[in-house]
Structures are given as C-alpha cells and as structure tokens.
Amino acid sequence: MPTVTMNINGRQMSANVENRTLLVAALREDLNLTGTHVGCDTSQCGACLVHVNGKAVKSCTMLAVEADGADVETIEGQANADGSLNVIQQAFQDHHGLQCGFCTPGMVMSAAALLKENPKPTEAEIRNHLEGNICRCTGYQGIVNAIMAASGQSVAMAAE
Amino acid sequence: MYNFEFSNPKTIENATKALSSEDAQALGGGQTLLPTMKQRLASAEVLVSLSGISEMVGVSQSDGTVSIGGATTHAEVARQSREAYPALAQLAGKIGDPAVRNRGTIGGSLANNDPAACYPAGALASGATIQTNKREIQADEFFRGMFETALDEGEIITSVTFPVPEVANYQKFEQPASRFALVGVFVAKTSGGVRVAVTGASNNGVYRWREAEAALSTDFSASAIDGMSGDPSDMIEDLHGSPAYRAHLVGVLTRRAVSSCS
C-alpha cells in the first residue's frame, strides 16, 4: 500500500493507505484525527471540510494519495498554542453558532478560509461562502453572527 | 469505491502514456468522478490524476483571447479572468460552492459535459477552442450530447482558449440543492454576431439557440426576443421542472442576460 506523508497542523504524519482511501478516512481512521466529520459523504454538507495547501476542500471528495506531500489543516490545529479556543471557535461558543456540533468542524474551517481571503465580510458574503456547509440545528443565524463577531464586526449588523 | 492503480504524472506527455493503458481514466478535480466511483457507477483499473501537471494550470491573455489550462480550478478561473473576461469569471465563481470550486477544474467539467453544467454554455457561446493532448477542437464540434464529447479514449483537455466577446453575460437559474443550472444561458456578442448557448434544458446537453441568435444579431436588445421561448419538445423533465417550465426559463434568462450586457 502507498505511504502518504502530509504536514498536518504543522506536524509530519504518515499513513499507509489504499489508493482508493479518501482523505477524510485517512485523517480519521489512520491518523486518529476524528475532529473532521463525515456527514453526507457526497460533498454536499461540508462537515469534512479541511484546508489542503491553504485551500478549503471537502476531504470526502479527495483521495488521500492526492494529498501526499501537502500541508493540511484540520480542526485539531485551530486552537491557540495554550489550548484555549481561537477567535473563531470562541465566537461560535459566544454566539450560539452550534447546537449539536456535528457540522461545527467544517463550519469553523470554512469560516477560517473566508476570513483569510476576506477579513471583513458582509453578511451576504458570509452566507454565500457557507453555501457548501449545511447545519440542521441553528438556522444559520448564530453561525453568521459568530463569523461577524470573529471578524471584529458588530453582531447587531448581522441580525438586521 | 473499487480500488485502482494510481498514477500521478507531472507532464502531459507522461499523462498521455499513462492513459494509453487499458481501462485508464483521467481524474481532474474529482468533484464528479469520485462521487460517481463511490456509488460504483464508474470504476477504473488506473486512475490518472491530472492535478500535478503544472503546464496545465493557469490563465493567460493575449490578443483578445484568454487561455485557461485544463487543470485550472474554478476558483482560480474566477480570480484570474476577472478583468480579462468578467462574464466567464462570474460563471466560474458561481459553480457549486467554495470548496468544490477549489478542486473542480475547467477541463474536467468540459470533458464530463454534464447537461446542467455551466462551463459548456460559456465555451459554446464564446466559440472557444479546446486544445487536447492530440488536437484542437472547436466548441461547435466538441459537445455531442448528454455526457458525450468529441474526446477519444485517452484524450485530455490541456487548455481552452476563449475569444473575448465585445460583451457577454451568463444567467443561471440555480437548482438550490445541487447548485447546478436548472437552466443557464450564456450570451456573447462578437463582431461576427451574437451567440446564445443554453445549458440545463435539453436532453442533448448544451445547445445554441439559433432563433434568438438571429434576432439578437439584428437588434441586440431584450425586446428583440420578447415573447420568445425555447422549444420544449426535447427538454429535460424531472422533479425540479417540466419541459414547458424549462422552455419558458430559456426565454426569460436570455432576456436577462441581454439586459445585463448593457
């Protein structure tokens, strides 16, 4: 079986996988990084969203062998160095951006990708960016509020 | 999905060699092929990934044309052709969702020729030239019906060259769950006349709406095609829309596209 080596959250990690192994399966089952979730397994829901070479991708729709040599960021790498929640994670907690929490890893990674490209998004831009992330609990308003707050903008603005 | 051998060539030449083996399949961004393989609707002995071929990535401009490498993602087309060909950038920026756009490629989309995909409409309306590892194919000759193209076995799209029209616009009536076009219309006005390409509507995939082209080439205004609609006789019928509904949308979206050009 091929060996795939990735730099995941700043650490070199390797796994022996089949060619058909999906990136999300390699992360969860071979490397025990179970923070990345499998929701629909059909690239609709975004629960499996991670960053590969700085780009948000759905890890259920990419082969692990395609990520060989890549830099990968997952939800496990998002917390601050001291273990405290980073600004996006904290905003999700503060603004009721989650209920059951299943979609949250993908939501946080998607939000991180957005804020990297667009540090002060409008509410419309946030909603547009989240088209590929499905949440069945919150009705999205809490998530949108959290991303507004994480980008240092007034949350009242998002509620208008 | 069934297992396969994996090939990761770095050049078009090596990809061509890898694809010459029996039952080899090219893998672009995988946003259609991998879900299809998971469902075991497709399988391959050898999967040849095209994403590591740097000569097939990027957007360049010269002399009134925009050339896009076949392995360029939708996100990069949206970003890099914004000034040179805004209507095409707008089309690319509305495909799927942001994560899908970071993987899916223009070559993959055109080679798949999904009857509801956006790029076939852009390529056909623009009169694009599709460069493969073997030859050049004009867009008018390329699309051969639902999921069918002029590509032979082992033939891959290495780049696509778009002549930039005087004005152009793409209007997509989005199917909100899949984000494919329920109907999409790309209108391009060139010195040689107006071209109108329709996706999402016909059972034969993307097509040119000649009646609207003739009317718009005489008078490029929405009122020139007032009351006109598509021919529903061979249109797609599914739970999202009837042939009559799609035929109606063809007219509405074409008028919106023409209005948005001015």
Side-chain angles (χ1 to χ4, degrees):
Chain A
M1 288 202 295
T3 301
V4 172
T5 302
M6 297 171 273
N7 186 315
I8 304 177
N9 303 323
R11 282 177 56 199
Q12 287 290 117
M13 298 178 100
S14 294
N16 293 320
V17 298
E18 289 186 294
N19 286 326
R20 63 177 166 179
T21 302
L22 298 168
L23 176 58
V24 70
L27 292 171
R28 289 178 54 84
E29 292 161 27
D30 295 294
L31 300 168
N32 295 320
L33 294 167
T34 54
T36 301
H37 289 170
V38 182
C40 66
D41 199 23
T42 58
S43 59
Q44 308 284 321
C45 81
C48 67
L49 195 139
V50 301
H51 299 184
V52 174
N53 293 329
K55 305 278 187 204
V57 305
K58 293 182 172 177
S59 60
C60 79
T61 309
M62 178 171 179
L63 300 170
V65 287
E66 291 182 283
D68 189 28
D71 288 333
V72 178
E73 283 178 65
T74 70
I75 190 68
E76 285 89 349
Q78 293 299 295
N80 297 321
D82 66 359
S84 62
L85 298 179
N86 80 1
V87 63
I88 297 172
Q89 293 171 307
Q90 188 62 52
F92 269 69
Q93 188 181 77
D94 293 344
H95 294 276
H96 205 83
L98 65 153
Q99 186 171 318
C100 86
F102 193 86
C103 72
T104 312
M107 287 288 179
V108 169
M109 296 309 292
S110 191
L114 171 65
L115 296 185
K116 199 161 60 179
E117 272 197 15
N118 183 356
K120 299 277 182 211
T122 63
E123 175 172 357
E125 286 169 339
I126 293 171
R127 289 185 182 276
N128 189 42
H129 183 82
L130 293 179
E131 273 191 333
N133 291 86
I134 294 174
C135 171
R136 300 289 77 171
C137 304
T138 63
Y140 299 97
Q141 190 61 51
I143 293 169
V144 173
N145 288 350
I147 298 173
M148 289 298 277
S151 59
Q153 303 185 84
S154 142
V155 168
M157 221 162 86
E160 273 168 18
Chain B
M1 80 182 91
Y2 294 113
N3 209 4
F4 43 79
E5 284 176 45
F6 184 72
S7 168
N8 195 14
K10 301 291 179 223
T11 63
I12 292 169
E13 195 186 341
N14 286 343
T16 304
K17 272 184 213 153
L19 284 163
S20 67
S21 71
E22 200 160 323
D23 204 14
Q25 165 72 47
L27 172 69
Q31 301 304 286
T32 298
L33 182 57
L34 292 179
T36 311
M37 288 177 71
K38 282 186 193 177
Q39 293 179 317
R40 296 186 175 175
L41 296 171
S43 63
E45 289 291 320
V46 185
L47 211 52
V48 181
S49 169
L50 307 179
S51 55
I53 304 174
S54 54
E55 60 188 310
M56 275 174 57
V57 177
V59 177
S60 62
Q61 299 169 240
S62 72
D63 225 15
T65 65
V66 174
S67 281
I68 301 172
T72 311
T73 62
H74 311 323
E76 285 307 316
V77 174
R79 207 185 324 265
Q80 294 184 42
S81 66
R82 199 176 291 154
E83 281 168 22
Y85 194 170
L88 187 71
Q90 175 220 356
L91 174 153
K94 289 288 285 174
I95 296 172
D97 61 54
V100 168
R101 293 196 286 274
N102 280 334
R103 293 292 302 165
T105 65
I106 185 169
S109 172
L110 291 173
N112 191 46
N113 194 19
D114 188 296
C118 297
Y119 267 128
L124 186 59
S126 306
T129 302
I130 289 140
Q131 177 74 48
T132 77
N133 52 341
K134 299 187 176 152
R135 58 189 163 142
E136 278 186 355
I137 309 171
Q138 297 304 314
D140 281 313
E141 309 297 320
F142 183 81
F143 301 103
R144 297 279 175 87
M146 190 181 276
F147 296 112
E148 281 184 32
T149 69
L151 292 173
D152 292 329
E153 290 291 317
E155 190 170 16
I156 55 171
I157 296 170
T158 53
S159 70
V160 188
T161 301
F162 294 83
V164 179
E166 289 168 14
V167 284
N169 188 263
Y170 180 59
Q171 291 288 323
K172 171 180 175 182
F173 195 93
E174 201 171 83
Q175 203 282 84
S178 71
R179 295 178 204 89
F180 274 92
L182 188 61
V183 173
V185 176
F186 200 107
V187 172
K189 181 174 184 283
T190 70
S191 54
V194 177
R195 292 169 67 105
V196 178
V198 179
T199 188
S202 169
N203 277 318
N204 295 315
V206 68
Y207 69 94
R208 284 174 65 185
W209 188 18
R210 306 278 181 173
E211 293 86 351
E213 289 182 356
L216 290 168
S217 293
T218 310
D219 172 14
F220 192 69
S221 70
S223 58
I225 50 168
D226 209 16
M228 285 171 69
S229 60
D231 174 5
S233 59
D234 203 15
M235 286 201 178
I236 298 168
E237 176 156 30
D238 60 21
L239 76 169
H240 306 298
S242 64
Y245 181 59
R246 283 186 159 88
H248 175 71
L249 278 180
V250 169
V252 171
L253 295 176
T254 306
R255 284 187 285 279
R256 284 186 191 169
V258 171
S259 300
S260 302
C261 280
S262 54

